[in-house]
Amino acid sequence: IIYDRLNECVRRVYPFSSFEASNYHESIPESIRQDLAESARCFNCDAYKATIVLLRRIVQSLILDTIKDPAIKNKKLWEQIDELFNLGFITKNLKDAAHEVRHFGNFGAHPSDDDLDKTTKEEAILVDGLTRDLLRAIYVSPYETEKLKIKRSGKTP
């Protein structure tokens, strides 16, 4: 363990925890779980820009997996997010969250001279939380709800 006395927190723990796709909810597609695991590895290495860029990628992958219309691939991410909302897959709050993930992902991916590309640990934590909210709304909650419906009805899946 490396303890940061100035900030009074544990800075590093060795060996690093395992970040595997299998650690994430089974309802989330494998490719998205792979990106989640990689974003966690990046975060653990203090690579916050990389973390946020991967989280942006996850949001776009989620949209492309959810909206089955092939024309969605030709739209810009902001249009894809709006379409996810317009089709009723997410609430306005989640739409706003997705746009923030998009903005911060863009800041991390594209160099600029306005200091917006300097990503902090705190921002990475917030963007990760918003991305997980979207994953929960699109994949996990419907999956868990269906499991409860099946259990209540007495049918086996």
Side-chain angles (χ1 to χ4, degrees):
I1 293 176
I2 297 176
Y3 188 77
D4 180 348
R5 289 185 179 160
L6 179 64
N7 295 308
E8 297 182 357
C9 66
V10 173
R11 185 73 178 131
R12 294 243 197 295
V13 177
Y14 295 98
F16 289 135
S17 301
S18 170
F19 298 106
E20 302 297 327
S22 61
N23 294 348
Y24 298 95
H25 199 278
E26 63 187 307
S27 65
I28 300 169
E30 176 71 18
S31 62
I32 294 176
R33 288 187 286 145
Q34 291 284 345
D35 286 345
L36 274 169
E38 188 170 335
S39 74
R41 288 190 297 272
C42 289
F43 181 85
N44 214 38
C45 296
D46 299 338
Y48 305 124
K49 280 189 262 188
T51 301
I52 290 177
V53 170
L54 277 162
L55 293 169
R56 181 200 178 281
R57 174 186 167 92
I58 289 166
V59 169
Q60 190 158 28
S61 295
L62 171 152
I63 293 167
L64 296 176
D65 181 60
T66 303
I67 300 175
K68 301 304 182 194
D69 180 359
I72 196 70
K73 292 178 182 177
N74 299 324
K75 295 185 178 188
K76 296 187 180 289
L77 180 54
W78 70 266
E79 295 170 307
Q80 293 172 346
I81 292 168
D82 288 350
E83 187 66 14
L84 194 68
F85 170 73
N86 292 337
L87 292 172
F89 287 105
I90 57 174
T91 63
K92 181 182 179 321
N93 286 341
L94 286 174
K95 177 183 90 163
D96 294 344
H99 280 299
E100 288 308 310
V101 174
R102 175 180 63 85
H103 286 302
F104 275 85
N106 288 344
F107 297 154
H110 304 290
S112 66
D113 57 4
D114 56 10
D115 289 336
L116 290 176
D117 60 351
K118 292 179 182 162
T119 305
T120 67
K121 178 180 182 179
E122 291 74 24
E123 290 164 344
I125 289 169
L126 291 172
V127 172
D128 181 72
L130 295 176
T131 303
R132 288 172 190 264
D133 290 346
L134 286 158
L135 291 167
R136 181 149 191 79
I138 295 296
Y139 297 115
V140 179
S141 291
Y143 178 89
E144 297 294 337
T145 301
E146 189 59 32
K147 280 179 62 176
L148 285 175
K149 284 181 183 178
I150 290 169
K151 186 172 184 169
R152 182 177 44 82
S153 72
K155 297 178 186 174
T156 55

